[in-house]
């Protein structure tokens, strides 16, 4: 018996979540890693730093996702050809046992690379979340009749700053340039949101640790966070990276609270939208409170000619497995729950 009791339990929970969210590969991989830890296999040395870490801390630090992603990261390059060959490929059936055997064998020869990857918290940027946010942007545009200024906090690589350049096909919702390179296909339940053209006249984002897409090392890290058998997500992310690189808008390295205070204020002739997705839960309570107060202050300065909206795609604090899309609009501070959504944006239930 090893001392990894909490990590083993956490990996099993995460395996179940991955299965429910459409990644049988990660479900199987994490389950095999848990068994290897239980049996005292080579995973023990690789994940030694978390031998006695409590479940809550493991979850807060995104450890289970790091554990899965480190093998994906290695498989994505040319360093471990046997691992790369065993990894999921388009059109081929999954061989989870074969992939785990190759991953387990890679721990010794590639220990340093696997271990270095584990040092960093996961840094994702999920493009399909834009599908859950779309209805909020359209609602603001329809209600104000103004062009939008979009400010994203916790923007990661900034891929969703280009949400208006994607093509959306979600049940009855068809929006955006039909020839767009980035396509967001997702399920939709309920009425469609308002269908209006939108002009984005300004966009900016911040992240405390932005991914610099011009750096191939950081690009690889970002893509390693896409679960390996979700090949459509991977292809969409690659196309969104190409779009972001072509547009060249950089995400500023800053804390969301400081940046919001310094950069976001309403401006006449446009609707200013502050938005975020799967970000709030990572803030310490004091920052959440500070940000909520800063947003209310910005809202209080909004006028009919210079409206302000706060749009968010976030799980409620008590259930991280679903997403609620909320919109608060100023002047007036009217708060509405617009939709429920899948955490990766695979489906939206429109409530508004
Ligand atoms: C799970 S990722 C989500 C990224 C992106 N919003 C998406 O939906 O794909 C959470 C992001 O929040 C960022 N973050 C966490 N705390 C932050 C803070 N205080 N200020 C700015 N960014 C922060 C992290 O660096 C990370 O990029």
């Amino acid at each position: 018996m090893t001392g990894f009791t909490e990590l083993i339990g956490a990996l099993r929970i995460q395996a179940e979540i991955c299965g429910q969210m459409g990644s049988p590969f990660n479900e199987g991989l994490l389950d095999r890693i848990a068994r290897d830890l239980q049996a005292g296999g080579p995973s023990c040395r690789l994940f030694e730093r978390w031998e006695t870490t409590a479940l809550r801390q493991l979850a807060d630090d995104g450890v289970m996702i790091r554990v899965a992603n480190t093998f994906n990261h290695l498989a994505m390059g040319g360093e471990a050809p046997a691992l790369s060959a065993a990894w999921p490929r388009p059109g081929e059936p999954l061989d989870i046992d074969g992939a785990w055997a190759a991953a387990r064998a890679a721990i010794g020869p590639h220990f340093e690379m696997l271990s270095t990857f584990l040092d960093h918290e996961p840094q994702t940027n999920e493009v399909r979340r834009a599908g859950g946010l779309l209805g909020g942007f359209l609602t603001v545009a329809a209600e104000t009749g103004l062009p939008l200024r979009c400010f994203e906090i916790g923007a990661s690589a900034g891929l969703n700053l280009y949400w208006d350049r994607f093509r959306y096909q979600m049940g009855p919702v068809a929006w955006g340039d039909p020839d767009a390179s980035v396509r967001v296909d997702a399920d939709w339940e309920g009425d469609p949101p308002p269908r209006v053209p939108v002009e984005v006249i300004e966009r900016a984002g911040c992240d405390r640790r932005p991914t610099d897409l011009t750096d191939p090392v950081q690009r690889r890290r970002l893509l390693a966070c896409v679960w390996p058998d979700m090949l459509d997500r991977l292809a969409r992310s690659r196309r969104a990276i190409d779009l972001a690189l072509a547009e060249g808008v950089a995400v500023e390295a800053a804390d969301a609270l400081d940046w919001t205070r310094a950069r976001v204020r309403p401006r006449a002739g446009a609707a200013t939208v502050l938005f975020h997705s799967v970000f709030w839960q990572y803030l310490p309570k004091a920052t959440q409170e500070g940000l909520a107060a800063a947003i209310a202050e910005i809202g209080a300065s909004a006028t009919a000619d210079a409206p302000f909206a706060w749009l968010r795609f976030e799980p409620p604090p008590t259930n991280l497995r679903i997403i609620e899309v909320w919109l608060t609009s100023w002047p007036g501070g009217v708060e509405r729950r617009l939709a429920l959504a899948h955490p990766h944006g695979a489906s939206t239930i429109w409530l508004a």
Side-chain angles (χ1 to χ4, degrees), residues 23-59:
S23 178
F25 182 82
N26 260 10
E27 179 182 16
L29 185 75
L30 288 170
D31 184 59
R32 282 159 181 77
I33 296 170
R35 278 193 263 150
D36 193 59
L37 283 173
Q38 203 157 26
S43 306
C44 294
R45 187 164 80 95
L46 185 58
F47 306 123
E48 192 175 23
R49 67 184 88 177
W50 296 301
E51 185 170 357
T52 56
T53 309
L55 186 67
R56 181 72 243 179
Q57 195 62 46
L58 293 169

Side-chain angles (χ1 to χ4, degrees), residues 172-185:
V173 184
W175 192 89
D177 177 0
D179 296 325
S181 59
V182 181
R183 298 189 61 89
V184 175
D185 298 303

Side-chain angles (χ1 to χ4, degrees), residues 139-349:
T139 301
V140 176
E143 291 178 353
T144 64
L146 293 170
L148 304 188
R149 301 167 66 228
C150 296
F151 294 85
E152 183 178 11
I153 45 182
S156 186
L159 301 182
N160 288 338
L161 281 170
Y162 299 97
W163 65 270
D164 57 315
R165 306 282 300 279
F166 305 163
R167 171 67 181 179
Y168 299 85
Q169 199 68 57
M170 306 184 291
V173 184
W175 192 89
D177 177 0
D179 296 325
S181 59
V182 181
R183 298 189 61 89
V184 175
D185 298 303
D187 295 330
W188 188 276
E189 255 183 62
D191 292 337
R195 193 165 193 276
V196 285
V198 178
E199 188 191 2
V200 176
I201 56 167
E202 189 177 343
R203 63 190 94 222
C206 85
D207 196 283
R208 71 170 171 201
R209 232 170 50 96
T211 297
D212 175 3
L213 292 174
T214 62
D215 176 358
V217 173
Q218 294 192 43
R219 271 202 314 268
R220 178 172 167 184
R221 278 196 70 89
L222 185 73
L223 289 170
C225 294
V226 179
W227 298 349
D229 48 343
M230 300 184 118
L231 298 163
D232 61 323
R233 275 178 75 199
L234 195 58
R236 194 180 302 108
S237 299
R238 287 190 201 280
R239 284 193 290 268
I241 288 172
D242 289 344
L243 173 64
L245 280 171
E247 293 297 327
V249 173
V251 175
E252 295 165 43
D255 178 74
L257 176 54
D258 300 338
W259 190 82
T260 300
R261 279 189 183 134
R263 294 272 284 148
V264 183
R265 56 184 56 89
R267 204 176 75 195
T272 301
V273 184
L274 180 75
F275 73 101
H276 51 86
S277 59
V278 193
F279 146 81
W280 197 262
Q281 73 205 76
Y282 299 102
L283 302 178
K285 199 161 184 334
T287 310
Q288 288 181 348
E289 287 168 2
L291 206 41
I295 290 167
E297 211 171 294
I298 297 165
S301 69
T303 62
D305 185 39
F308 174 62
W310 178 27
L311 174 64
R312 56 260 192 220
F313 176 107
E314 297 288 345
T318 48
N319 182 0
L320 298 183
R321 295 190 197 192
I322 62 153
I323 294 293
E324 294 181 335
V325 182
W326 285 87
L327 178 69
T328 312
S329 312
W330 288 270
V334 176
E335 189 162 56
R336 280 168 285 177
R337 191 171 66 152
L338 297 181
L340 300 175
H342 177 279
H344 290 156
S347 58
T348 298
I349 301 172

